[in-house]
Amino acid sequence: MVKMSLEPVQVMSGQVAELKVAPSSNGDSAGSWEGKREFDKDHLGLTAKPKPVTGRRARKVEGGVFFPKPENAVTVAVSSRVLFRTEREQRVFEQQGVEEYLRYQIEHENEPFAPGPAFPFVKALEAVNARLRELYPQSEELFDIVLVTYNHAHVGIRLINTINHHNLFIERFCMTGGSSPIGYLKAWQTNLYLSADANKVREALTEGIAAATMFMPEKMTEVSESQLRVAFDGDAVLFSDESERIFKAHGLDKFFEHEKENEDRLLDHGPLKGFLEALGKLQKKFYAKGQRLDCPIRTYLVTARSAASSGIRALKTLRAWGLEIDEALFLAGAPKGPMLEKIRPHIYFDDQMFHIEGAAEMGTIAAHVPYGIAQKHNSKHNTSAGK
């Protein structure tokens, strides 16, 4: 089983699949990400020679909205430690302190960071925005990406250089200088927060913000550059953990009995329901232009629920909420990793580390949602009826 840590982002050995972005470095992973490559023996590429930023790219939005208002946008806040690879810098901070860390960052500010686990997801968000701007040039209903970091403002120069190097469209920054970003996330009306800090993710969830802790898998499956694919677990992610509590307390037979008795009673919402709702809102803009079959957003429900015995309640709940899910996979307890390998999502959300680890073993970028009763039982040996 893959060993993973919550803090910082776990870097796993193996190959990195084709991300098809420009060459970059953060001192930990240098050289080209074009095509497959292996890290050096310490798995972090510390011996590689970094390549400097060669110049900035001017970014324009032809005939469209440049900065959507937070109340109109789908705001995704991403930590710098999941968008980029910052393992070496994190070690400098932990081993030598903040002053040496700031000095190191300033000295290396012309060396771009390499892509992290959230990078393909953010690129896919930008690809969707490009399509939306073609269809609705004046609409502010777009993905708005906010870079969130505990860093001091001095580090902002290196982050800006990196964003320009990778030609990312990220103009909103939140650099807190070590303070909690949660209050700012609420001000941004954040729809989703992705971080390497499990404690801050829990804090965000407590405040009603959809959030998840991201991990770097041992290998990374190549994902679509033209279609955003987002996969969700069911219980304690899209739905509440009500059914999971029945299973934990009374076992599988009682769980099936409970679901049969309550199949016409809707499940309560879970922490990621609002994000699926936001994705559905954008999908409908494509449907309205006759592009349902060519929609650049596709959503998936990947659950260990059984279809006949417990799946109907989940589907009825989604329908009552007015939410469409493009594909629903009821696995009846089978491993999720092989199915996710076929889906190739940019991100998969699950509340159980058992499933996160299984997804990571197959090369899927997975994000842990630390919510619900399963957090008291999370271990690699855990199984679940509902998930």
Side-chain angles (χ1 to χ4, degrees):
M1 182 59 66
V2 176
K3 295 183 179 179
M4 309 180 75
S5 68
L6 295 182
E7 176 71 16
V9 170
Q10 177 71 23
V11 180
M12 304 177 183
S13 62
Q15 291 186 330
V16 179
E18 298 175 8
L19 291 185
K20 297 183 179 178
V21 296
S24 62
S25 167
N26 69 341
D28 289 334
S29 178
S32 175
W33 285 59
E34 297 277 1
K36 294 183 178 180
R37 61 181 290 268
E38 291 190 352
F39 296 111
D40 63 9
K41 291 182 180 179
D42 69 358
H43 301 162
L44 294 175
L46 300 181
T47 59
K49 184 177 180 180
K51 295 183 179 181
V53 175
T54 56
R56 297 185 178 181
R57 295 173 175 83
R59 296 191 295 274
K60 298 191 228 178
V61 180
E62 298 295 343
V65 172
F66 197 83
F67 299 121
K69 297 182 180 67
E71 60 267 27
N72 297 326
V74 177
T75 301
V76 178
V78 183
S79 164
S80 59
R81 288 173 54 201
V82 297
L83 183 56
F84 304 122
R85 300 284 302 279
T86 63
E87 295 86 6
R88 182 171 196 155
E89 290 73 14
Q90 186 67 17
R91 284 200 300 276
V92 171
F93 173 76
E94 292 171 352
Q95 297 172 9
Q96 301 180 45
V98 64
E99 297 303 324
E100 182 62 24
Y101 169 81
L102 290 174
R103 185 190 66 79
Y104 179 91
Q105 291 281 30
I106 292 171
E107 287 181 353
H108 295 80
E109 65 185 20
N110 289 321
E111 299 168 12
F113 295 111
F119 189 92
F121 176 64
V122 168
K123 292 292 287 184
L125 299 181
E126 294 188 347
V128 173
N129 276 354
R131 291 276 302 274
L132 284 168
R133 286 189 171 107
E134 290 174 1
L135 297 175
Y136 302 93
Q138 301 304 318
S139 176
E140 294 190 24
E141 292 180 324
L142 301 161
F143 288 112
D144 190 19
I145 303 159
V146 180
L147 184 66
V148 177
T149 175
Y150 298 131
N151 274 304
H152 189 281
H154 286 326
V155 184
I157 294 175
R158 189 176 185 191
L159 290 170
I160 291 170
N161 283 339
T162 300
I163 285 168
N164 287 326
H165 177 81
H166 292 299
N167 201 27
L168 296 172
F169 194 90
I170 302 177
E171 297 289 354
R172 303 193 198 272
F173 276 36
C174 184
M175 293 177 280
T176 68
S179 300
S180 172
I182 303 303
Y184 298 112
L185 296 180
K186 296 179 75 174
W188 285 116
Q189 302 182 40
T190 300
N191 297 91
L192 177 67
Y193 172 49
L194 299 174
S195 175
D197 189 329
N199 292 326
K200 289 297 178 287
V201 166
R202 293 188 188 96
E203 187 180 346
L205 289 170
T206 300
E207 293 295 325
I209 300 168
T213 311
M214 289 201 77
F215 302 96
M216 174 71 80
E218 179 175 310
K219 59 180 181 179
M220 226 151 66
T221 303
E222 184 179 0
V223 292
S224 173
E225 295 182 348
S226 58
Q227 184 181 64
L228 170 66
R229 298 176 187 173
V230 182
F232 299 89
D233 179 28
D235 297 280
V237 176
L238 291 180
F239 314 122
S240 73
D241 67 340
E242 167 207 322
S243 299
E244 185 70 10
R245 288 178 178 274
I246 298 295
F247 169 70
K248 296 296 185 187
H250 304 290
L252 189 59
D253 290 341
K254 190 66 176 178
F255 165 79
F256 286 141
E257 180 183 332
H258 175 267
E259 292 304 290
K260 181 65 176 176
E261 291 175 353
N262 292 277
E263 69 175 39
D264 292 322
R265 184 172 66 84
L266 302 184
L267 289 158
D268 198 0
H269 67 85
L272 270 292
K273 182 249 188 178
F275 184 59
L276 175 61
E277 197 169 38
L279 293 176
K281 182 180 178 181
L282 295 184
Q283 282 180 309
K284 288 176 182 177
K285 294 177 73 68
F286 291 99
Y287 300 167
K289 296 289 188 178
Q291 297 191 13
R292 177 180 285 269
L293 298 181
D294 188 33
C295 182
I297 304 172
R298 194 162 184 85
T299 56
Y300 304 79
L301 173 64
V302 183
T303 173
R305 280 178 177 256
S306 303
S309 58
S310 59
I312 191 169
R313 190 180 182 198
L315 293 178
K316 284 184 175 181
T317 297
L318 290 171
R319 185 170 64 187
W321 287 346
L323 298 181
E324 295 186 37
I325 201 89
D326 293 302
E327 298 188 31
L329 283 73
F330 293 93
L331 303 184
K336 296 182 179 182
M339 294 299 174
L340 292 168
E341 185 182 29
K342 298 302 181 184
I343 294 170
R344 297 176 178 246
H346 292 85
I347 192 167
Y348 168 63
F349 297 100
D350 202 295
D351 68 307
Q352 296 202 51
M353 285 304 301
F354 174 80
H355 295 304
I356 296 292
E357 292 166 354
E361 285 185 329
M362 305 300 290
T364 297
I365 295 290
H368 180 236
V369 182
Y371 174 85
I373 189 66
Q375 306 317 303
K376 297 181 180 179
H377 302 266
N378 254 324
S379 77
K380 67 181 181 179
H381 303 296
N382 218 20
T383 59
S384 170
K387 313 325 307 153

